[in-house]
Amino acid sequence: MEMHQMRYFVTVATHLNFTHAAAECNVSQPALTRAIKKLEDELGGPLFRREGRRTHLTELGRVVRPRFEQALSLTDLARDEALDFSKMVNAKLDLGVMCTIAPSSLISLIEFFSRRAPQLTLVVHEASGRALTERMLAGDLDVALVAVPEKSEEFQATPLFSEPYVITFPKGHRFGQMDEVPLNELKGERYLKRVNCEYLDIFEEAGHAYHFDTDHRFQSEHENWVQAMVIAGLGCAIMPESLSINPELQSRPLIEPEIRRTISVVTRRGRRHTPVVEFFVDLCKRMDWGTPMDPQG
C-alpha cells in the first residue's frame, strides 16, 4: 500500500463523502475511488459501505482507520523534524551570556553544542543580566544564560546550576586566617565594586544594616580588572565562586548573609522559537552541571 492511498482513505473516513474527500485531496473522484478500491483489494475486503447517498465504514474500515491515522501522523512528524533540521543548516544562534559568568562554567556546553551541531554558527553576546533581558524584550536575542534576582512573567527560565558568593582578597590579608567571612567584617575594608554584580543592591543594603558603608574608591564593569586590582592589594571584592579561580586570588565563603545565585537558560515567554533555539535549550537541560560537567545522553 502507498501513503496516498492511506491518506485518501482517512479523508473519506472523516467526511464519509467521496466527492468532498476528492476535493480536499485535490484529485478527481474516479482517481480517489480507484485508489480506495486498490487498497481494499490489498487488505482483502471493503472499507466502506455505500448505501445510496450515504457512506459508512465497514468493520474492516473501523479496524484499520486508527492504524492509518497513526502512520500518517508519524510521517508528518518525520517530515516536520526533517524540515526543522534542514532549517538549522547554516543557521546562526545569537546567545546572550551574562558578563559575570565565568567562561569556564560554560565551556563544556559550548564544546558539546559545537559537536552536536557543527553546521551552526554561534555568536556569544556578553553584557549585564539586565541588558541581556532588555535585548530579549526588544527581539535582538532569543536565548540567554543569566542570573537576575527578580523574576519576570515575561520570561521562561529553566534553572541550570547555582553557586555561592565568596569574598576575594589579596595574599597576606587577614581574611586568610578565617574559614568564613561574615559580611560585617568588611567594615573598614576597601571594597572593589563590581558594577555589573546582579546582587549589588543586596550587598549594599546588608552593609547599611551593619551600620557601615563600603569604600567604593575603585570600581569596574570588567571582571578581569576587578580581579587584577584585588591581586594588586587595592581592596576586596565579593564575587561568584566560579569567578575566583585565579591562583593569585584568595577567597573565603561569604556568610551572614550567605547568598547564592542561580544561572538559568532564559527565553521570552510566549515567543515562537526557531529549531536552533529549541535545540540549544534542550541541550542546556540535558547537561550535567555538576563537576565535571558532562552532557547526558
Side-chain angles (χ1 to χ4, degrees):
M1 65 186 69
E2 300 180 8
M3 294 301 301
H4 76 277
Q5 293 174 320
M6 289 190 286
R7 193 173 299 278
Y8 291 171
F9 164 77
V10 170
T11 305
V12 175
T14 300
H15 292 282
L16 293 178
N17 185 295
F18 277 70
T19 301
H20 294 167
E24 182 172 320
C25 294
N26 198 29
V27 296
S28 67
Q29 184 172 335
L32 182 140
T33 301
R34 287 195 298 270
I36 295 295
K37 180 62 170 63
K38 185 177 180 180
L39 185 60
E40 289 176 331
D41 292 342
E42 186 171 350
L43 294 176
L47 298 172
F48 297 99
R49 182 179 297 109
R50 305 177 73 171
E51 299 174 344
R53 294 185 177 181
R54 295 186 176 183
T55 300
H56 304 282
L57 279 168
T58 65
E59 183 63 29
L60 177 60
R62 287 193 293 270
V63 169
V64 300
R65 180 180 181 179
R67 302 300 184 188
F68 286 173
E69 288 176 336
Q70 182 182 41
L72 291 173
S73 177
L74 291 174
T75 300
D76 292 339
L77 178 61
R79 184 183 298 109
D80 291 342
E81 289 180 342
L83 180 60
D84 287 346
F85 183 81
S86 67
K87 289 179 180 177
M88 291 202 302
V89 176
N90 299 322
K92 183 178 73 168
L93 176 66
D94 289 291
L95 171 65
V97 176
M98 194 166 59
C99 58
T100 63
I101 300 178
S104 58
S105 300
L106 304 177
I107 197 64
S108 293
L109 171 66
I110 301 304
E111 289 176 343
F112 190 53
F113 178 79
S114 66
R115 292 200 304 269
R116 292 294 300 271
Q119 74 277 17
L120 299 182
T121 298
L122 175 65
V123 180
V124 177
H125 302 266
E126 188 180 51
S128 68
R130 288 184 175 87
L132 291 176
T133 53
E134 288 174 0
R135 292 186 63 180
M136 293 181 69
L137 289 174
D140 296 334
L141 295 174
D142 285 321
V143 61
L145 298 169
V146 298
V148 289
E150 66 276 7
K151 296 183 179 179
S152 172
E153 295 299 322
E154 297 175 303
F155 299 104
Q156 178 67 46
T158 300
L160 301 179
F161 65 93
S162 65
E163 63 177 334
Y165 279 80
V166 298
I167 182 71
T168 59
F169 48 89
K171 293 180 179 179
H173 193 279
R174 66 184 182 91
F175 288 163
Q177 304 301 316
M178 305 170 65
D179 295 328
E180 300 173 319
V181 179
L183 183 65
N184 62 3
E185 287 291 334
L186 280 176
K187 188 173 183 178
E189 293 288 339
R190 184 174 295 170
Y191 179 70
L192 300 175
K193 183 176 180 179
R194 298 171 50 247
V195 175
N196 289 318
C197 177
E198 59 272 11
Y199 286 98
L200 184 61
D201 293 342
I202 295 177
F203 289 131
E204 292 184 342
E205 289 174 4
H208 293 325
Y210 288 113
H211 307 292
F212 73 89
D213 294 324
T214 51
D215 182 351
H216 291 164
R217 193 174 311 176
F218 298 104
Q219 58 182 283
S220 177
E221 61 184 13
H222 298 291
E223 300 296 334
N224 55 343
W225 271 101
V226 172
Q227 294 188 29
M229 288 189 285
V230 171
I231 293 171
L234 298 180
C236 305
I238 296 172
M239 64 183 62
E241 186 178 45
S242 62
L243 284 178
S244 60
I245 60 175
N246 190 311
E248 298 184 58
L249 198 65
Q250 307 295 297
S251 68
R252 292 292 185 274
L254 181 70
I255 60 172
E256 299 176 9
E258 178 187 33
I259 297 178
R260 302 180 67 89
R261 72 172 184 176
T262 298
I263 305 298
S264 299
V265 56
V266 177
T267 56
R268 180 72 188 275
R269 191 184 299 276
R271 178 180 295 170
R272 181 177 176 84
H273 300 300
T274 64
V276 177
V277 173
E278 293 180 353
F279 173 77
F280 181 80
V281 171
D282 180 67
L283 188 61
C284 287
K285 293 178 180 178
R286 293 191 293 112
M287 287 290 295
D288 178 2
W289 292 98
T291 304
M293 291 189 299
D294 294 320
Q296 297 175 331

